[in-house]
Amino acid sequence: MEPSGNAVGFWDRPEEALDRAAALGCDSFRLGVEWARVMPDAHRVDEAALARYVSIVAGCVERDMAPLVTLHHFTHPAWLGEDLWLRPDAPARFAQWAGTVVPALAPFVRHWVTLNELNIFAVQTYVTGDFPPGRTAAFGDAAVALDNLVAAHVLGYDVIHAERPDAVVTTNNFCLSVYDYDRML
């Protein structure tokens, strides 16, 4: 695997991106909270990283943009292992993660995505092999992972609503139209 880089430098300079989005007239700003950044190991929360995320969502509010926070966007900490979503404890581990981050962000955040495109995450992890561990045609594993991801969403929903009863909580699905690809051929 090729290591990821700094991309556009959002972590180091979020104010620039928030200012640009506000200048464009955006009234919402979506961002993900990186589980591995906040919890670099199983027994420690990086309080500085969590405070940085609080600062970013507060910056959204200061610019009259509603933050939309995603708690899992295709990645989890390496210390949980590549097959986290096949384990029976995966939904509870996700709920613990939500319980770590949601109380800090909830004063600023009403809109949440628990897990991004959980359907395609399961497919690309265990059917097409695009995501680690890169298995192909492991349909049974994909079904188990999807069950655990849906259960994790439900538990995350409960954690968020316990902290912020007026929250709008969702997960989103990947939608693909085969028709468009057929037309390209």
Side-chain angles (χ1 to χ4, degrees), residues 6-21 29 37 52 55-56 63:
N6 192 22
V8 297
F10 179 78
W11 182 252
D12 297 322
R13 301 178 315 278
E15 298 82 7
E16 291 176 21
L18 297 178
D19 287 344
R20 277 192 231 104
F29 191 90
R37 185 186 298 267
R52 181 71 167 155
S55 169
I56 292 168
R63 291 164 177 81

Side-chain angles (χ1 to χ4, degrees), residues 153-174:
H153 164 70
V154 171
L155 294 177
Y157 178 98
D158 291 343
V159 168
I160 294 166
H161 276 275
E163 192 67 37
R164 179 137 187 186
D166 69 335
V168 177
V169 183
T170 191
T171 183
N172 52 347
N173 285 311
F174 178 81

Side-chain angles (χ1 to χ4, degrees), residues 30-43:
R30 182 177 178 188
L31 68 141
V33 178
E34 180 58 42
W35 192 347
R37 185 186 298 267
V38 175
M39 295 188 71
D41 63 60
H43 308 290

Side-chain angles (χ1 to χ4, degrees), residues 79-94:
W79 53 264
L80 283 167
E82 287 183 336
D83 283 324
L84 166 67
W85 296 107
L86 299 182
R87 298 190 342 229
D89 68 330
R93 296 304 294 258
F94 179 77

